[in-house]
Structures are given as structure tokens and as C-alpha cells.
């Protein structure tokens, strides 16, 4: 959802690409994630595992949780700057809940949290540009 929201809201030409550490390549988004992403004009997302190519493409890696950030640091020695999304935008709580397997209400809650975090991220990126 984060990739879809960012790419829908960003007007700077900066693009996001999403990858997971516990997924298989090519899986469709969950029903609720797909429905919510359509509200910002994004659809058709397929999962992909994080890999060296994506890491070398990135100027910055933002994770949803501290555990994801630490896993990345242990697994990949040469990383661009990496931080949790919430800490990067100045929030004190570091983690964003993974809604996987949850109901529609959980997906909506996470979607709206991501929207708010990504709006803060875009403001921060625009200030740095």
C-alpha cells in the first residue's frame, strides 16, 4: 500500500518501489489492500522480495518496522540510508502494523496511517529538494 500511496501523491518525479522480506514474487495484493489503493488510483500491485537490484536502485530505504530495518542491516552490508518510515518523518513510535491477514478495518487503519506518514515524507523530500 505504501508504494501505491507514495507514487499517487508524489509530484516530484521521485518513485517508490515496495518489497517484502517474507513474501514470494508475483503474489497479488490482498483484496482489502487492492480496494484501498484503487482509491488513490493505483491497482495491479504484485509482491516482490527485497533483492540486490532493488537495493542498488534505492537512494533511501524506509521500512515499516524496526525488525525489518535490522534484518536488512544484517542481511545486506552495503545499503543506502535506511530508517523506519515513522522515525524518518519525525514520529516517535517506530512501527507500522502489518495488516496481513486482518479484516477490512485493520487495512483501513493502516492505509490512513500510511497516507499521513507519506504526506509527511513528501513534505520532507520537497524541503530537501
Amino acid at each position: 500500500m505504501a508504494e501505491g500511496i507514495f507514487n499517487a501523491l508524489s509530484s516530484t518525479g521521485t518513485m517508490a518501489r515496495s518489497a517484502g522480506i517474507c513474501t514470494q514474487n508475483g503474489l497479488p495484493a490482498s483484496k482489502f489492500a487492492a480496494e484501498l489503493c484503487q482509491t488513490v488510483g493505483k491497482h495491479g500491485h504484485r509482491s516482490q522480495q527485497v533483492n540486490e537490484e532493488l537495493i542498488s536502485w534505492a537512494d533511501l530505504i524506509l521500512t515499516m518496522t524496526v525488525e525489518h530495518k535490522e534484518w536488512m542491516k544484517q542481511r545486506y552490508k552495503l545499503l543506502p540510508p535506511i530508517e523506519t518510515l515513522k522515525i524518518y518523518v519525525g514520529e516517535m513510535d517506530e512501527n507500522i502494523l502489518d495488516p496481513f491477514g486482518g479484516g477490512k478495518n485493520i487495512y483501513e487503519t493502516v492505509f490512513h496511517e500510511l497516507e499521513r506518514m507519506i504526506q509527511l515524507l513528501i513534505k520532507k523530500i520537497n524541503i530537501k529538494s
Side-chain angles (χ1 to χ4, degrees):
M1 289 189 298
E3 174 187 337
I5 295 167
F6 182 90
N7 290 340
L9 297 179
S10 178
S11 61
T12 65
T14 302
M15 296 297 293
R17 291 173 71 185
S18 178
I21 61 174
C22 296
T23 190
Q24 297 176 7
N25 289 331
L27 297 175
S30 72
K31 174 187 172 187
F32 299 131
E35 288 173 3
L36 289 163
C37 284
Q38 285 179 358
T39 67
V40 293
K42 296 295 177 183
H43 53 83
H45 176 77
R46 296 281 180 180
S47 65
Q48 61 181 335
Q49 287 185 324
V50 67
N51 59 52
E52 295 281 349
E53 179 185 339
L54 286 170
I55 290 169
S56 65
W57 173 85
D59 294 324
L60 171 67
I61 296 174
L62 298 173
T63 66
M64 298 297 111
T65 68
V66 172
E67 291 79 15
H68 292 157
K69 178 178 83 171
E70 294 306 318
W71 184 90
M72 293 285 295
K73 285 180 168 181
Q74 290 176 10
R75 174 102 160 103
Y76 298 99
K77 300 304 176 205
L78 298 173
L79 291 170
I82 184 169
E83 188 53 82
T84 65
L85 172 59
K86 285 181 125 179
I87 292 296
Y88 190 78
V89 300
E91 295 284 311
M92 298 313 291
D93 177 22
E94 297 176 303
N95 296 319
I96 294 175
L97 174 71
D98 183 352
F100 182 76
K104 186 174 184 174
N105 288 342
I106 291 177
Y107 274 88
E108 287 174 342
T109 298
V110 172
F111 183 85
H112 294 301
E113 179 179 30
L114 284 169
E115 274 186 315
R116 189 172 72 82
M117 293 299 109
I118 290 168
Q119 287 169 347
L120 293 171
L121 173 61
I122 290 169
K123 285 179 187 174
K124 184 171 183 168
I125 290 170
N126 287 339
I127 290 170
K128 287 185 173 185
S129 297

